[in-house]
Structure formats: C-alpha cells, structure tokens
Amino acid sequence: MTLEEQLMDDVRSGRADVERGLLIVSSCCTEKNIADYKAKLDELERNFKSYASARNIHGEIETGKALLDFIWQKEGSRYKKDMNSLAECVDAQLSELKRIGNCSGLSFLYAAIGLRHGLKLNALYNFEHVLLRQVSGNETRDIETTSRNG
C-alpha cells in the first residue's frame, strides 16, 4: 500500500494526522522522509516556543498572531509563487531564504506549527487562494499568511 493509499484509509476511518497528510501530499514518499520532516517541524516548533516565550505570549489568539510574526520575522516578502508544499516551506523557513511559499505553502506551514500549539484552525479555499481561520471561544480571526499583517 502506498503512503497516499494509507492516508486515504486513515481519512476514511477518521484517524488522519493532518501534519502527516500535508507531508505526504508534499511529495514525502517514504516513512524516513516523513520522519525527517517531522524532526524539522520539531525544530521549528522549538524555535517558535522560544520566540513566543521571549515575548510573553499567552492565549490562543495571541499565539496565533505571534506565529504569523514568527514566520514573517525576516525582512521583505515571504511570498513565492510556485512554492506550495509544506516540505518546501519547512526547508525554506529553516534556511536563509526570504521568500518561502505561496498561499498554500505558507498556510500549511502555519497550520502545522499552529496545530502543535493547540490552535483551532480551518482552511478556506476558493480555487485561487487559501487562507486560514482561527477560532477561539467566540472569537474568529482570518489569517492571510501571504501578508505580514495577516
């Protein structure tokens, strides 16, 4: 059974792991490749935890805002038209590259780290664009990951 077939079985049975699914559709084609990228996401999670801690960030909405700031902390535009996979964006975020992804890739990166921090996120998609919606209690916030101001 391929990783894609296994992912679809997991989706049908309700056992799907979003992060794993995003890595599989990002062309991670072996368990080792998935494990390698999960380790890279662990590093980004640690980096974000330090970033948020240094800024005394608490609460879901504040964490969501800080995560976008963390992704955009390098100067200049982070948008890159043809970079749409989680794996590409993880590599770019860990490198010195300034431009790291398009609306899909940046949303996947935000979601992967945000879900690890307990953020409640929904993806909004209209065939041309992807953005995220964060829900915390009665508060809702749309997140435009291709913009520094969200």
Side-chain angles (χ1 to χ4, degrees), residues 43 139 143 148:
E43 180 180 348
E139 202 168 343
I143 305 157
R148 178 179 296 280

Side-chain angles (χ1 to χ4, degrees), residues 24-37:
I24 290 169
V25 300
S26 292
S27 300
C28 290
C29 54
T30 66
E31 292 295 343
K32 179 178 179 347
N33 199 221
I34 290 170
D36 289 346
Y37 274 97

Side-chain angles (χ1 to χ4, degrees), residues 44 70-71 73-74 78 89-95 100 109:
L44 285 173
F70 170 76
I71 290 170
Q73 64 186 321
K74 293 180 183 170
R78 305 296 279 156
C89 286
V90 165
D91 286 337
Q93 182 73 17
L94 289 170
S95 75
I100 68 166
L109 178 63

Side-chain angles (χ1 to χ4, degrees), residues 33-49:
N33 199 221
I34 290 170
D36 289 346
Y37 274 97
K38 283 192 173 260
K40 290 177 182 185
L41 282 163
D42 291 344
E43 180 180 348
L44 285 173
E45 179 184 18
R46 285 189 304 275
N47 294 348
F48 174 62
K49 226 177 243 186

Side-chain angles (χ1 to χ4, degrees), residues 1-148:
M1 179 181 291
T2 67
L3 289 174
E4 291 86 355
E5 291 168 336
Q6 184 182 13
L7 173 62
M8 293 313 298
D9 281 351
D10 290 346
V11 167
R12 283 189 284 274
S13 70
R15 298 184 319 256
D17 172 350
V18 173
E19 188 176 289
R20 178 181 172 78
L22 289 172
L23 289 169
I24 290 169
V25 300
S26 292
S27 300
C28 290
C29 54
T30 66
E31 292 295 343
K32 179 178 179 347
N33 199 221
I34 290 170
D36 289 346
Y37 274 97
K38 283 192 173 260
K40 290 177 182 185
L41 282 163
D42 291 344
E43 180 180 348
L44 285 173
E45 179 184 18
R46 285 189 304 275
N47 294 348
F48 174 62
K49 226 177 243 186
S50 295
Y51 179 90
S53 178
R55 288 156 181 77
N56 200 27
I57 301 298
H58 299 288
E60 291 176 19
I61 295 295
E62 289 302 312
T63 298
K65 290 176 181 177
L67 179 53
L68 189 64
D69 292 342
F70 170 76
I71 290 170
W72 277 83
Q73 64 186 321
K74 293 180 183 170
E75 291 299 317
S77 175
R78 305 296 279 156
Y79 181 81
K80 185 170 182 182
K81 182 179 179 185
D82 296 325
M83 197 174 270
N84 60 7
S85 80
L86 175 57
E88 289 175 312
C89 286
V90 165
D91 286 337
Q93 182 73 17
L94 289 170
S95 75
E96 293 302 313
L97 294 176
K98 285 187 178 182
R99 296 179 184 267
I100 68 166
N102 64 14
C103 61
S104 298
L106 287 164
S107 293
F108 296 159
L109 178 63
Y110 185 102
I113 300 169
L115 291 171
R116 286 176 170 221
H117 286 268
L119 300 183
K120 294 170 191 75
L121 301 169
N122 298 308
L124 307 175
Y125 173 71
N126 74 356
F127 297 106
E128 293 180 13
H129 192 62
V130 176
L131 63 101
L132 297 173
R133 176 167 288 160
Q134 180 183 6
V135 178
S136 178
N138 292 330
E139 202 168 343
T140 300
R141 184 174 85 83
D142 290 341
I143 305 157
E144 173 54 71
T145 58
T146 60
S147 169
R148 178 179 296 280

